[in-house]
Amino acid sequence: MPVPAPSPGQPSLPSAVSRFGPPTLGHSAGARSGSLPGPPSVLPPASGTVPVPAGEPVPQSAAPERTPSPTLQQILRGPSGLGTAGLYLSPRELPSAPAEPAAGRPVPGLYHHPVPEPDAHRVEEVSRRIKAWAVDEVELFPPDWEDQFDGFSLGRYMVACHPDAPTVDHLMIATRLMAAENALDDCYCEDHGGSPVGLGGRLLLAHTALDPLHTTTEYQPDWAESLHADAPRRAYRSAMQYFVQQAGHSQADRYRHDMARLHLGYLAEAAWAETDYVPEVWEYLAMRQFNNFRPCPTITDTVGGYELPADLHALPAMQRVIALAGNATTIVNDLYSYTKELASPGRHLNLPVVIAEREDCSVRDAYLKAVEVHNDLMHAFETAAADLAAEVPHPSALRFLRGVAAWVDGNHYWHQTNTYRYSLPDFW
């Protein structure tokens, strides 16, 4: 179905505003929450290539320039005609063209889209609320971990990833879930007491905080009490309770499914750690399709105050888009956390480490090859999303695709600018 261009005099959105269509009013969950779409992320054209800083050699993995297809350019222009004015931002709401954020340095050659600095007032309020929730409601961390919690910068992360969230309450849905997921990762899998030994049992019991146990009257109280036994389970339980108050039934079930995928990925990585196995590169990428950020962008419609219908979410083409988004953003994490993981005890599997071992190359060449893998995933994501937007121009589908793209860009922004946690290797 062709999408006509805006009529003369109508506020036009620059191509940077959306790769996959104009902002649209939600329905279903949106009607339930009374929300209106907020401003979408300012996304640069798909042809944008991030320059390598002056004086540095262009790495092998520098991303090639890309020109949006005619179909994608048509989608970017959006609808026009009677009743469509409300689908556009007013001129005063249009953000200025983005510049590279001042903090941090992007990985040279990494294909990404710079975003504007997230709204400072929202960042401050989300940061205040998530700290209060973590300390007062779920006792998420002991006092000596406070600096690490603050340094994670959850408020800045979630505001950058969800630019169309209509209210701070909507942003808090994602922020609590993100805090809970990271607490479980740290306490069960990583360096705050985590271990591959016995991980499966711990994960299964924690998962029941998301996907409730239905058991006999005799044993129900024991299970309910177990949900308060440790910080990850307390956080999962509380964050999920807030989430289901805003989410539709299919949205909640979708999230539970994606969290099961995440936990399966944790188990695969733990099994390799127990046997000291370094997977083949393709095997590692298969594990990372499960142990990745997928649960975060998959709730973009709930955080946006609307609902993508279940049949559209289940489309194989939509599932491919979501999977590619999760895969690309997770390799971003591998690249930015590389030096942090090298400095940690033990061997941490990440894509550069696996490439170096399995393809018998230097650590520098392996890192640059990992940048190429990321760029290939990003281009595949954008192509798949643009194709789907052209084939299924449903308003909620278009908005969901834009929301996932905004999450991808916000995730990169947070990794690049979080200099408390991350620094780049000296490979350029």
Side-chain angles (χ1 to χ4, degrees):
M1 178 186 298
V3 184
S7 57
Q10 185 180 43
S12 62
L13 294 179
S15 62
V17 167
S18 166
R19 282 174 280 183
F20 312 120
T24 61
L25 295 177
H27 65 283
S28 189
R32 180 170 56 254
S33 62
S35 61
L36 293 175
S41 174
V42 172
L43 307 173
S47 60
T49 302
V50 179
V52 176
E56 294 182 349
V58 177
Q60 249 181 330
S61 54
E65 290 193 2
R66 292 169 60 82
T67 303
S69 68
T71 300
L72 178 54
Q73 290 175 328
Q74 185 179 49
I75 293 168
L76 293 173
R77 287 197 296 268
S80 63
L82 186 64
T84 61
L87 304 182
Y88 292 85
L89 301 173
S90 67
R92 65 180 177 82
E93 291 175 309
L94 287 174
S96 58
E100 286 289 353
R105 171 186 171 211
V107 172
L110 193 76
Y111 178 71
H112 71 280
H113 301 281
V115 301
E117 289 292 315
D119 182 86
H121 298 294
R122 283 193 161 194
V123 170
E124 182 179 4
E125 180 62 12
V126 171
S127 299
R128 182 191 68 78
R129 291 196 197 183
I130 195 61
K131 183 76 167 284
W133 174 81
V135 172
D136 300 331
E137 291 192 43
V138 298
E139 299 177 61
L140 190 64
F141 56 85
D144 54 333
W145 294 3
E146 183 174 10
D147 60 333
Q148 296 176 55
F149 182 85
D150 293 341
F152 201 88
S153 302
L154 272 166
R156 191 159 51 88
Y157 195 175
M158 293 297 95
V159 175
C161 285
H162 295 285
D164 72 338
T167 69
V168 170
D169 286 339
H170 286 81
L171 285 166
M172 287 302 301
I173 296 168
T175 311
R176 291 187 202 93
L177 291 172
M178 172 65 84
E181 291 164 26
N182 278 275
L184 182 137
D185 190 22
D186 284 346
C187 296
Y188 283 10
C189 309
E190 297 288 348
D191 51 0
H192 285 311
S195 168
V197 179
L199 179 60
R202 296 193 299 275
L203 283 177
L204 184 146
L205 296 179
H207 193 81
T208 67
L210 308 174
D211 199 348
L213 176 64
H214 301 279
T215 188
T216 65
T217 303
E218 179 182 359
Y219 296 110
Q220 186 81 13
D222 293 337
W223 166 72
E225 184 178 355
S226 77
L227 300 182
H228 302 272
D230 58 23
R233 280 184 277 188
R234 290 193 298 270
Y236 266 25
R237 172 184 172 274
S238 175
M240 194 67 181
Q241 284 183 330
Y242 281 104
F243 176 64
V244 298
Q245 290 172 13
Q246 292 288 337
H249 297 312
S250 66
Q251 290 173 308
D253 197 56
R254 177 204 310 170
Y255 180 74
R256 294 184 186 103
H257 187 186
D258 281 346
M259 289 299 291
R261 284 181 164 119
L262 175 67
H263 294 158
L264 180 61
Y266 286 169
L267 290 174
E269 187 171 15
W272 292 338
E274 285 196 277
T275 57
D276 198 30
Y277 176 69
V278 177
E280 299 286 351
V281 175
W282 75 264
E283 292 175 321
Y284 176 80
L285 292 172
M287 181 273 290
R288 276 311 227 174
Q289 179 160 310
F290 292 82
N291 177 4
N292 76 7
F293 287 113
R294 182 183 179 124
C296 304
T298 202
I299 64 169
T300 187
D301 54 339
T302 307
V303 181
Y306 65 102
E307 182 167 357
L308 177 69
D311 58 338
L312 295 181
H313 175 263
L315 287 172
M318 184 67 78
Q319 290 296 301
R320 174 172 166 76
V321 167
I322 297 169
L324 287 168
N327 293 348
T329 53
T330 302
I331 303 308
V332 164
N333 181 264
D334 278 12
L335 294 168
Y336 280 95
S337 65
Y338 177 75
T339 58
K340 177 176 178 286
E341 292 182 347
L342 286 182
S344 301
R347 176 169 60 185
H348 287 256
L349 289 183
N350 58 52
L351 185 56
V353 166
V354 173
I355 291 174
E357 174 118 357
R358 284 300 190 174
E359 301 188 358
D360 193 24
C361 58
S362 70
V363 293
R364 178 184 182 275
D365 287 346
Y367 190 93
L368 297 182
K369 175 69 175 294
V371 174
E372 292 178 359
V373 172
H374 165 272
N375 292 349
D376 288 347
L377 289 169
M378 273 290 289
H379 296 324
F381 159 69
E382 292 190 343
T383 298
D387 289 347
L388 180 56
E391 293 167 10
V392 185
H394 185 284
S396 291
L398 295 177
R399 188 176 179 192
F400 186 83
L401 290 170
R402 286 196 336 277
V404 173
W407 201 95
V408 168
D409 295 343
N411 176 74
H412 175 269
Y413 162 87
W414 176 80
H415 279 87
Q416 177 192 323
T417 59
N418 196 330
T419 54
Y420 174 87
R421 291 173 60 87
Y422 305 124
S423 60
L424 299 185
D426 188 19
F427 288 156
W428 299 276

